[in-house]
Amino acid sequence: MKGQAHYYPMTLFKALGDELRLAATLLIHRQGELCVCELMAAFEAPQPKVSRHLASLREAGLLETERRGQWVYYYLSPHLPDWMVRVLEETAVNNPALIKQPLARLQAMADRPAVQCP
């Protein structure tokens, strides 16, 4: 979907059909942006798994990235349609348990946001 102006509901919902991808999207939306190492800590998951899920979200058009030095930060695409942002916001508000533990782990990380990702 990269570069396309149209967002298809099936593509977006399929991308969010995995619990880790949904929770990661909600966490990124709440935090504004996160790097892979922060998401690894939040979900206690290995880098390849987190990166694979982030790639799916990026391919679906949900996330975009920005490289800063050697680190890549993920953030919600500013091109998402309003209805999709509302779905994410409603999901977060009505299902706080989805990101409760990952958020607590993220907040427990030392030296955020200047953490040195491995």
Side-chain angles (χ1 to χ4, degrees):
M1 281 193 71
K2 188 176 181 181
Q4 293 183 8
H6 300 289
Y7 286 85
Y8 300 100
M10 292 303 293
T11 302
L12 296 172
F13 286 116
K14 184 176 178 182
L16 295 174
D18 177 87
E19 187 174 348
L20 191 145
R21 287 194 300 266
L22 174 59
T25 303
L26 296 177
L27 195 60
I28 290 167
H29 181 48
R30 178 174 178 153
Q31 295 292 300
E33 66 178 23
L34 292 170
C35 72
V36 174
C37 66
E38 291 171 306
L39 290 161
M40 288 169 50
F43 293 104
E44 296 181 327
Q47 183 272 326
K49 179 178 181 177
V50 172
S51 292
R52 184 176 64 251
H53 284 295
L54 291 171
S56 294
L57 293 167
R58 191 172 175 204
E59 288 170 16
L62 285 158
L63 301 180
E64 292 188 15
T65 60
E66 179 181 331
R67 180 173 287 283
R68 294 185 207 140
Q70 60 183 347
W71 314 124
V72 177
Y73 290 83
Y74 289 80
Y75 58 93
L76 205 61
S77 173
H79 307 292
L80 283 180
D82 291 341
W83 67 265
M84 190 67 214
V85 176
R86 286 192 306 273
V87 166
L88 292 172
E89 289 169 352
E90 287 292 323
T91 301
V93 167
N94 291 291
N95 301 278
L98 285 172
I99 62 169
K100 182 179 179 180
Q101 279 301 110
L103 184 59
R105 288 185 203 109
L106 186 61
Q107 291 171 340
M109 278 183 77
D111 302 324
R112 276 195 71 230
V115 66
Q116 293 299 309
C117 298

